Amino acid sequence: MNWLKTLLATVIGLVIIAVGILFTVHNTEPVSIDLVFVQLPEATLSLWLILAFVTGGVCGVLLSTLTILALKTRLRSAQRKVNSSRQEIDRLRTAALKDSA
């Protein structure tokens, strides 16, 4: 089963590389990007599109990481509250048993 997973990942990787090469070959027209305050240098359309795609992916990973860290912090806080409540319940149970004896 592990070899199948490796084979599938390899095939998908090769397909992505082939599509990237074909994309680059078919989009060789030079363009310049004008961001309101900055004029970026001329480069091929495929380069700008790939850079935009990679930048979006990196931003998505960073935002996801921040969200995950915030959720983990909330989870740890909730776990501390649960442990504190369990300890208090255990103390109350043992106190009630001592009082009845």
Side-chain angles (χ1 to χ4, degrees), residues 59-71:
C59 288
V61 167
L62 289 176
L63 289 175
S64 296
T65 301
L66 292 175
T67 303
I68 289 170
L69 290 176
L71 289 172

Side-chain angles (χ1 to χ4, degrees), residues 11-81:
V11 168
I12 290 173
L14 290 174
V15 167
I16 289 172
I17 289 171
V19 168
I21 290 171
L22 287 173
F23 180 77
T24 303
V25 168
H26 287 281
N27 291 297
T28 58
E29 184 177 328
V31 294
S32 63
I33 306 293
D34 184 14
L35 305 172
V36 177
F37 300 110
V38 178
Q39 176 89 20
L40 298 177
E42 251 188 34
T44 62
L45 179 62
S46 61
L47 177 67
W48 287 123
L49 290 174
I50 290 171
L51 285 175
F53 179 74
V54 168
T55 303
V58 169
C59 288
V61 167
L62 289 176
L63 289 175
S64 296
T65 301
L66 292 175
T67 303
I68 289 170
L69 290 176
L71 289 172
K72 283 185 177 184
T73 302
R74 286 178 54 192
L75 178 62
R76 281 191 214 106
S77 174
Q79 286 174 338
R80 281 194 298 269
K81 287 180 183 178

